[in-house]
């Protein structure tokens, strides 16, 4: 029973990597049974011989299976480590090619639309991409789960000389270069708010607002937009809330320049310039 479960998991893993159901079955069977003829494999897998030989030919071309010269030919599984290493190298090469081609495409102008994101991993990756593209100022409001997921990316952002500041909840360790403020009424927010909140505004050009399940396992609601107008409003409101939490602090206020017009981020410039063009026309 345990061996069957292991085989099922192995086949599922291979199918997730692009193997067909029959290819995954044949490879796992060869790993367990050792070198075998196509006829024997067909009997072991309970599949029609023509289909088995066709799949073996495809696996051979991919280097996943080795074939012995002779009659009848015997097939042998390539070691899993070699198969996975070759697949990784192939993926990296294809990814590099695709990345260069996609970057060459012109990025469309902001369209003032609001887009929904339904998958939790995509929310986190969108936030990380936003931080990677930041040029001037990043504001955030992050519950512990999203904060931990973005911790390293926030630090990298600050290391590039970008102003990074935001609200956190509960005890949070320092992140180099990142200004953190404990949110007002954080205890009530943590108990009453229906999930893990992620709010991120980058350069007042784009913003991401997401409510996620505990452990970031699912998305309750997530919205992203590169509308300069809406992002400027998000920036203005969030900067005011961040500064409000620091009013009772003594000494110089490092947050004094976070407000929308004091920091004059790129999104504000784009919004005002677009407004001027529309007025002149």
């Amino acid at each position: 029973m345990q061996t069957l479960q292991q085989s099922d998991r192995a086949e599922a893993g291979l199918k997730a990597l692009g193997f067909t159901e029959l290819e995954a079955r044949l490879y796992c069977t060869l790993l367990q049974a050792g070198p075998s003829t196509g006829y024997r494999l067909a009997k072991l897998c309970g599949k029609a011989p023509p289909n088995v030989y066709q799949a073996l030919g495809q696996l051979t071309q991919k280097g996943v299976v080795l074939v012995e010269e002779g009659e009848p030919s015997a097939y042998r599984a390539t070691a899993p480590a070699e198969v996975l290493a070759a697949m990784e190298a192939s993926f990296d090469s294809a990814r590099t090619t695709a990345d260069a081609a996609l970057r060459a495409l012109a990025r469309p102008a902001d369209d003032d639309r609001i887009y929904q994101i339904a998958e939790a991993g995509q929310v986190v990756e969108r936030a990380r991409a936003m931080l990677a593209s930041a040029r001037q100022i990043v504001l955030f409001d992050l519950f512990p789960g999203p904060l931990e997921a973005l911790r390293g990316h926030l630090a990298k952002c600050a290391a590039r000389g970008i102003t990074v500041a935001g609200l956190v909840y509960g005890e949070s360790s320092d992140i180099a270069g990142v200004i953190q403020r404990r949110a007002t009424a954080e205890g009530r927010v943590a108990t009453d708010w229906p999930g893990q909140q992620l709010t991120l505004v980058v350069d007042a050009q784009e913003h991401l607002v997401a409510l996620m399940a505990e452990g970031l396992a699912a998305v309750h609601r997530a919205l992203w937009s590169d509308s300069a107008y809406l992002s400027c409003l998000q920036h203005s409101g969030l900067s005011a809330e961040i500064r409000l939490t620091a009013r009772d602090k003594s000494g110089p206020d490092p947050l004094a320049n976070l407000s929308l017009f004091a920091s004059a981020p790129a999104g504000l410039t784009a919004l005002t310039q677009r407004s001027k063009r529309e007025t002149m026309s």
Side-chain angles (χ1 to χ4, degrees), residues 14 16 20-21 41 62 88 100 107 117 123 127 140 142 149 160 163 175 178 211 221 235 237 240 255 268-269:
L14 290 173
T20 67
E21 181 176 352
L41 287 170
K62 297 176 183 177
E88 183 177 8
R107 179 181 179 183
I117 302 176
V123 170
F140 63 83
L142 298 173
R160 301 201 312 269
T163 300
I175 304 176
V178 176
L211 180 62
R221 188 74 186 276
H235 180 111
L255 307 173
L268 177 61
T269 302

Side-chain angles (χ1 to χ4, degrees), residues 7 25-26 35 68 73 81 120 135 152 154 185 194 202 205 207-208 210 215 258 261 265-266:
S7 180
R25 177 70 56 82
L26 287 170
E68 175 196 30
S73 298
R135 293 296 177 266
L154 290 168
V202 172
Q205 287 185 311
H207 66 277
L208 174 63
L258 288 188
F261 288 93

Side-chain angles (χ1 to χ4, degrees), residues 30 34-44 52-53 56 68 72-75:
L30 279 171
S36 303
T37 63
Y39 179 76
R40 180 180 182 228
L41 287 170
K43 292 185 64 176
L44 290 173
V52 168
Y53 281 111
L56 286 170
E68 175 196 30
S73 298
Y75 297 86

Side-chain angles (χ1 to χ4, degrees), residues 103-122:
R103 288 178 181 274
L105 298 177
R107 179 181 179 183
D110 62 288
D111 55 17
D112 287 333
R113 290 185 174 89
I114 300 173
Y115 296 93
Q116 297 190 53
I117 302 176
E119 202 275 318
Q122 188 180 2

